[in-house]
Amino acid sequence: MELKNIKKDCLYCGKALTGREDKLFCNVDCKNNYHSRQRAELKAKEHPNAAAIISTIKNNYKILLTYQLHAMDEGSMISIPKHELTSKGFNERFHTSTFTKQGETWHCCFDCAWLDQGKNFVLTYRAEQAIL
């Protein structure tokens, strides 16, 4: 029986490996860091602005939550001046979905929805969106 004497290096830090033949990393930290880097590289390839878009959507949702839409009965609506939302950083271009009701296009940010009425936004809560 012939022993293989192949020297391998850690895929993350490059240190020489000792132990099992099939070993790829010198420790758990290197393994975790390697896989974290791989995931980050894949995300970066998906869309160059994905992180900024997701961040904007989350920010929109946080702003909408300040109006306690979840405490409202479904179908209840409140009107908020558009400048009030935009001054808090709300960006109406970014949302998770849209729907049309009575010929009007509503935009959703998860389970909160808004309708642009010129100088105001009409806000409401949509329980069926919460299931997504």
Side-chain angles (χ1 to χ4, degrees):
M1 189 158 100
E2 194 176 315
L3 292 175
K4 294 181 182 176
N5 199 3
I6 299 172
K7 292 188 177 185
K8 289 174 48 177
D9 297 328
C10 174
L11 291 178
Y12 183 72
C13 70
K15 289 182 184 175
L17 296 175
T18 57
R20 294 187 338 261
E21 271 185 41
D22 62 342
K23 194 171 182 181
L24 300 175
F25 305 100
C26 57
N27 59 44
V28 174
D29 289 334
C30 281
K31 178 181 175 183
N32 291 337
N33 290 336
Y34 175 84
H35 290 293
S36 291
R37 182 181 287 169
Q38 294 295 317
R39 283 190 302 275
E41 287 174 5
L42 285 175
K43 280 185 180 181
K45 289 178 186 177
E46 288 175 2
H47 191 285
N49 298 325
I53 291 168
I54 291 167
S55 177
T56 302
I57 290 171
K58 285 180 179 181
N59 186 54
N60 282 351
Y61 189 61
K62 286 178 189 175
I63 292 167
L64 292 172
L65 288 178
T66 64
Y67 293 96
Q68 299 180 348
L69 300 175
H70 296 99
M72 296 170 44
D73 293 330
E74 187 168 0
S76 297
M77 298 178 204
I78 57 172
S79 182
I80 305 293
K82 190 183 277 191
H83 68 84
E84 183 178 322
L85 284 172
T86 55
S87 69
K88 294 180 179 182
F90 186 80
N91 188 335
E92 65 183 289
R93 291 181 41 224
F94 296 94
H95 50 275
T96 56
S97 63
T98 60
F99 68 94
T100 304
K101 184 177 180 180
Q102 298 174 346
E104 297 177 315
T105 301
W106 289 76
H107 301 279
C108 298
C109 198
F110 304 108
D111 51 0
C112 300
W114 71 90
L115 174 66
D116 187 345
Q117 290 191 322
K119 292 186 177 188
N120 294 319
F121 284 123
V122 175
L123 307 179
T124 191
Y125 173 70
R126 293 192 28 113
E128 70 259 16
Q129 292 295 110
I131 298 169
L132 299 175

